[in-house]
Each structure stands twice: as structure tokens, then as C-alpha cells.
Amino acid sequence: GESVGLHLPTLSVQEGDNSIINCAYSNSASDYFIWYKQESGKGPQFIIDIRSNMDKRQGQRVTVLLNKTVKHLSLQIAATQPGDSAVYFCAENRGSGGGADGLTFGKGTHLIIQP
Amino acid sequence: GAVVSQHPSRVICKSGTSVKIECRSLDFQATTMFWYRQFPKQSLMLMATSNEGSKATYEQGVEKDKFLINHASLTLSTLTVTSAHPEDSSFYICSATGKGYTIYFGEGSWLTVV
């Protein structure tokens, strides 16, 4: 079936360095993508989103890139901090009708910030 | 900002009993609520979609008679795990959607069946 997957299960970076987390998706009809951060025992925390009519969106220290040609999504975190350590999930809208269709989540990448 | 609240955050129940988890949207009306399940070190998997006043739509492989979902108002959806077994132990997370693309997640509920 359709799925969203991640290339790396664990990513370790030095504090202060930039990190990039990648995600491949398979539903070409999806019109909305979201990156979430999840700390142990907690619900997903919204980081940044992007619609399919865009290829880049920036937030505070984070940038999401969308390449629809190869169905690839990435999350860039600049100047990583210890608080960035968490599991990061990409998610895509299951349909093309906004938020009414539920999300398909990727497998997750555990980002570890080394002091 | 908008908040989605789940209760209880942790619950332990005996095998064979039923347990109810509530999901509330605190300051907005949620036209649609979703229930996800997450096993340790795994991703979130959508279980069902709940629309106010109508029957929930379950994902393939999710038993609707075991996971009862009720969405009686625009601010409350409940998930009842009936005749719970140890394999139902998991982290259950709800999300709520208002108008447009905005999706809000709850903090999750840990269920342990002993």
C-alpha cells in the first residue's frame, strides 16, 4: 500500500551543527505534508507544514523542502540544540481534501544531539 | 491556541475489561477527530476517523466492535477498548481538525492491560 518512509532511523549531530532529516512518500495525490517532533511519552508536536503548491517553507530554525518530482520531503534544523533531541516524523495527508482525511506517518528518525 | 485534551493520560486495566479514553477539543469545534495507535519505537497508525453525529470509519484491520468510537458532540470523541487484552496495550493518540488544514494532536493516553 501507499506509505511514507524515512531513509535513516537514527541521526546523531553535534550541538550547534545543522541537521537534515529525509522522507520519501508515495502518494502523489497528497496535497499537504507535515513534520512532527515527538518526545518520549508525549503526543506529536507540530513543527512545520507545507502544501503541495510550494517547494520550500521556512520557520524558526527549521526549513521544509518538498520535491514532488521524486516525492521527497526533508526537514532542515539549523544550529541544533539539546532540546531538539527527539523522534521526528513526516506525515502526509491521506487524501487531497485538506485535514479531513487523516495522516499517514513515516517510520520516524531519532535525532540525537551530542554535546 | 487550540488545545486537544485526552483523558486519562495513563490507565491500567485488567484483561477482559473495557476502558474508555476521551478526546476533547477545548476551544474550537472539531468537525473531524482521528484516533491513532502507536506501539513502542514505532510510528503512529491511523485507526479510525470520527465525524460528529455519524458512524466512525475504521481503517482496514481495525476491529470496529473492539474499538468503539463515539463522537457525540463537536468537542468530544471517545474511544472504548472493549474486552481488552495485553496486546491492546499501546499509546493511543487523538487528533482533531477544525476548518481547513489545521490539525491538533492530543498528548496521548497510555493503556496497559494486565
Side-chain angles (χ1 to χ4, degrees):
Chain A
E2 295 179 333
S3 65
V4 177
L6 293 174
H7 297 307
L8 296 174
T10 302
L11 178 63
S12 183
V13 299
Q14 290 293 124
E15 181 180 351
D17 287 352
N18 299 332
S19 66
I20 300 176
I21 301 172
N22 295 302
C23 176
Y25 66 93
S26 57
N27 180 11
S28 57
S30 186
D31 62 346
Y32 183 52
F33 304 86
I34 313 169
W35 280 100
Y36 288 98
K37 172 185 180 183
Q38 188 179 32
E39 298 175 342
S40 182
K42 296 185 177 181
Q45 176 186 348
F46 174 90
I47 300 173
I48 192 167
D49 60 359
I50 189 168
R51 299 187 185 185
S52 59
N53 61 352
M54 304 171 68
D55 53 21
K56 180 179 180 179
R57 190 158 188 235
Q58 288 184 290
Q60 187 177 14
R61 288 200 303 119
V62 294
T63 301
V64 56
L65 299 177
L66 175 62
N67 186 331
K68 294 182 288 295
T69 302
V70 295
K71 290 187 282 188
H72 184 268
L73 196 67
S74 68
L75 175 70
Q76 301 175 1
I77 304 175
T80 53
Q81 303 169 357
D84 294 331
S85 293
V87 177
Y88 290 80
F89 293 98
C90 64
E92 62 172 333
N93 192 38
R94 290 158 52 87
S96 56
D101 305 308
L103 299 173
T104 298
F105 281 80
K107 290 183 173 63
T109 292
H110 186 192
L111 178 64
I112 299 171
I113 308 301
Q114 304 278 6
Chain B
V3 176
V4 172
S5 174
Q6 282 186 240
H7 178 80
S9 57
R10 289 182 179 273
V11 58
I12 300 173
C13 72
K14 291 185 178 180
S15 185
T17 63
S18 297
V19 61
K20 180 185 289 186
I21 301 170
E22 294 185 346
C23 178
R24 293 182 184 273
S25 57
L26 298 185
D27 56 2
F28 70 101
Q29 292 185 328
T31 53
T32 307
M33 288 184 171
F34 302 90
W35 288 96
Y36 294 84
R37 181 175 183 176
Q38 185 179 30
F39 291 108
K41 299 189 185 302
Q42 294 188 24
S43 188
L44 285 75
M45 296 296 293
L46 181 66
M47 297 175 67
T49 301
S50 172
N51 291 297
E52 185 266 339
S54 62
K55 290 184 178 180
T57 302
Y58 290 82
E59 294 301 302
Q60 189 174 8
V62 178
E63 299 175 58
K64 62 180 181 180
D65 294 329
K66 182 169 185 60
F67 298 99
L68 301 179
I69 292 172
N70 183 275
H71 194 157
S73 76
L74 286 171
T75 59
L76 174 65
S77 176
T78 60
L79 168 67
T80 301
V81 183
T82 63
S83 187
H85 290 97
E87 58 265 31
D88 298 324
S89 299
S90 186
F91 192 43
Y92 292 88
I93 308 168
C94 73
S95 72
T97 304
K99 292 183 179 179
Y101 286 92
T102 310
I103 302 169
Y104 303 98
F105 276 88
E107 281 299 307
S109 298
W110 285 101
L111 170 63
T112 302
V113 184
V114 298

